[in-house]
Amino acid sequence: MNSSILKRSQRMYVLEAAIEYFISILVSGTYLANLTSAIGLSDGLTGILSSIISLGCVFQLIAIFLRRNRVKRLVIAFSILNQLLFTFLYAVPCIPLAGEVKAVIFTVVIVLAYFIYNVAHPVKINWLMSLVDNEKRGIFTAKKEVVSLISGMIFSFLMGAMIDYYKAEGKLEVAFVLSAVVMIVLTVLHTLTMLFTGEREDISAPRPDHRELLAVLKNKGILKVTLIFAVWNVATYSATPFYGTYQRKELGFSMTFVAVLSVVYAVARSVFSGVLGKYADKRSFAKMVRLCFGVAALAFLVNTFCVPENGKLVFTLYYTLYAISMAGINSALVNLCYDYAPVEKRTSALAITQAISGCAGFFTTLLMSGAVEAIQAKGNRLFGLSLYAQQFTSFFALAVTLIAILLVHILLVRQNKEDL
């Protein structure tokens, strides 16, 4: 691939990531909570649906058996289908059917959408990351995130204001229709970015078989990364899937304030993405993720004190700290897999790691949803104490994140020192 095509492809990769981030905003967090509330789903079920993205990682195992050379057309086709299904989610509340039927349709569509997304995701990442020099992965990933976050901040503010306006007018269905139109436009733009992205011919590999799967599972470095991120997913998926309904219901945030939070999140994460990217390139991704887990632990600690009386202040502080932690954690899984896996096994390593850690996250949410509904059924009380369910989930997430920090230190940081 000549240098001009390579540079253009890298720019397209940055745009592709930003547009995909816009789409993810519209099908997660408070945006997803708006949809589930409109069709009458409980907080517990909404939390489970929020974590479907984690379970969807299991579907990435299928990517192990996809061909590795010339994957561009396959990725584009899967992306279009996945995004059209996401668009359909905004049509479900407007369908003149019983609430139970809408709930079933909504659940089937979102699971199918994430199934398709995750089947193609590892090969897509392998394709696009092959366009980046190994020595510059940290700083490139950081720059890509900054573009996504800054543009996503503006996008979220505009969409939030639009939804608030039509909700105040009693025309929430109009907001859903306009959101669907936006999703279609984003799908077209996302497709164009990939069409204009080049594809290297020197990274092709034969179709893998069970021997490659076994080889990855015998890689001690990959197994360590998998364990660490499985524990991290237990932490984050025990709490964050329930924050969307908490913001909209108990804390009473408007979508405009949620958009303001996205601005705070984007600024904090953008500022620290470059810093952490350089730190990872210089010191190691292991040390970087240990630091980020520490900040995440502090964020969960702060959120254990978040109640309606102080909600705006405390949740903003939590969200800022969580944004700083995610400035490094978001890219750490891919980069740690790339550190330990040879080039020809990176797709398999990423798929297996995300599948196992994804299962850990989803089943944690499944179990925690029962605890959330039990606490709410008792009038937000636990062991005789006045406590919102999300305060309990935040404390649980804090405890598990501390375990993740210990594992990173023992299995990656200290072990790397001994190897030297």
Side-chain angles (χ1 to χ4, degrees), residues 205-224:
R207 189 187 300 271
D209 56 26
H210 68 281
R211 288 172 294 183
E212 179 172 321
L213 178 62
L214 293 175
V216 172
L217 291 174
K218 290 179 181 178
N219 185 316
K220 292 182 179 179
I222 294 299
L223 290 179
K224 291 175 183 178

Side-chain angles (χ1 to χ4, degrees), residues 71-84:
V71 299
K72 180 175 175 177
R73 283 183 293 180
L74 179 143
V75 170
I76 292 174
F78 275 45
S79 294
I80 293 172
L81 185 54
N82 141 254
Q83 288 158 14
L84 290 177

Side-chain angles (χ1 to χ4, degrees), residues 11-41:
R11 288 194 294 268
M12 288 297 105
Y13 183 15
V14 172
L15 288 174
E16 181 275 337
I19 296 170
E20 189 172 74
Y21 179 56
F22 297 168
I23 294 171
S24 72
I25 288 173
L26 293 178
V27 292
S28 61
T30 51
Y31 291 89
L32 180 63
N34 280 330
L35 288 169
T36 57
S37 295
I39 59 178
L41 299 184

Side-chain angles (χ1 to χ4, degrees), residues 5-19 128 131 140 144 189-190 192-198:
I5 296 176
L6 185 61
K7 289 180 180 178
R8 185 195 70 199
S9 298
Q10 290 174 350
R11 288 194 294 268
M12 288 297 105
Y13 183 15
V14 172
L15 288 174
E16 181 275 337
I19 296 170
L128 297 177
L131 305 170
F140 178 84
K144 176 169 63 71
L189 294 175
H190 185 261
L192 289 174
T193 62
M194 291 190 291
L195 286 172
F196 286 105
T197 300

Side-chain angles (χ1 to χ4, degrees), residues 71-371:
V71 299
K72 180 175 175 177
R73 283 183 293 180
L74 179 143
V75 170
I76 292 174
F78 275 45
S79 294
I80 293 172
L81 185 54
N82 141 254
Q83 288 158 14
L84 290 177
L85 286 169
F86 278 148
T87 301
F88 185 70
L89 291 177
Y90 277 91
V92 174
C94 305
I95 300 174
L97 294 172
E100 295 81 2
V101 178
K102 289 182 181 181
V104 172
I105 294 173
F106 192 92
T107 302
V108 170
V109 171
I110 196 170
V111 171
L112 184 58
Y114 276 118
F115 169 79
I116 295 169
Y117 171 83
N118 281 285
V119 167
H121 184 69
V123 291
K124 185 189 84 169
I125 292 298
N126 198 45
W127 160 35
L128 297 177
M129 286 297 288
S130 71
L131 305 170
V132 183
D133 292 339
N134 281 332
E135 297 77 14
K136 297 178 181 179
R137 281 190 282 119
I139 191 62
F140 178 84
T141 303
K143 289 179 179 178
K144 176 169 63 71
E145 282 203 353
V146 168
V147 172
S148 294
L149 290 166
I150 296 298
S151 55
M153 170 183 70
I154 300 169
F155 176 79
S156 182
F157 189 84
L158 292 174
M159 293 301 297
M162 182 271 290
I163 292 173
D164 274 346
Y165 172 78
Y166 283 106
K167 185 176 182 180
E169 294 287 317
K171 299 177 180 177
L172 189 56
E173 287 190 354
V174 175
F176 290 158
V177 171
L178 291 176
S179 297
V181 172
V182 171
M183 291 279 278
I184 292 173
V185 173
L186 291 175
T187 298
V188 173
L189 294 175
H190 185 261
T191 303
L192 289 174
T193 62
M194 291 190 291
L195 286 172
F196 286 105
T197 300
E199 185 176 13
R200 297 178 69 110
E201 297 182 3
D202 57 348
I203 62 165
S204 63
R207 189 187 300 271
D209 56 26
H210 68 281
R211 288 172 294 183
E212 179 172 321
L213 178 62
L214 293 175
V216 172
L217 291 174
K218 290 179 181 178
N219 185 316
K220 292 182 179 179
I222 294 299
L223 290 179
K224 291 175 183 178
V225 174
T226 301
L227 173 61
I228 288 166
F229 277 89
V231 173
W232 164 247
N233 271 14
V234 169
T236 190
Y237 280 95
S238 67
T240 57
F242 305 102
Y243 289 164
T245 55
Y246 195 47
Q247 293 174 69
R248 291 295 279 159
K249 294 181 179 179
E250 287 87 351
L251 300 181
F253 294 169
S254 67
M255 288 303 295
T256 302
F257 184 74
V258 170
V260 171
L261 284 175
S262 73
V263 172
V264 173
Y265 182 93
V267 171
R269 190 161 158 179
S270 297
V271 169
F272 284 90
S273 284
V275 175
L276 291 169
K278 291 178 181 178
Y279 179 85
D281 285 338
K282 184 177 181 181
R283 302 291 295 276
S284 76
F285 282 98
K287 290 183 178 179
M288 183 267 284
V289 80
R290 181 182 61 180
L291 174 63
C292 292
F293 281 170
V295 179
L298 181 59
F300 289 128
L301 174 62
V302 167
N303 222 29
T304 60
F305 299 100
C306 184
V307 293
E309 291 76 13
N310 62 22
K312 287 189 175 181
L313 176 62
V314 175
F315 197 86
T316 300
L317 178 57
Y318 150 77
Y319 213 44
T320 303
L321 291 169
Y322 189 72
I324 294 171
S325 71
M326 290 305 294
I329 294 172
N330 192 57
S331 64
L333 174 59
V334 173
N335 284 298
L336 283 171
C337 281
Y338 277 33
D339 281 347
Y340 286 101
V343 173
E344 70 277 6
K345 291 183 174 63
R346 284 177 172 177
T347 296
S348 300
L350 184 59
I352 291 170
T353 301
Q354 291 192 322
I356 294 174
S357 58
C359 278
F362 177 78
F363 287 110
T364 297
T365 303
L366 197 63
L367 292 173
M368 195 61 72
S369 66

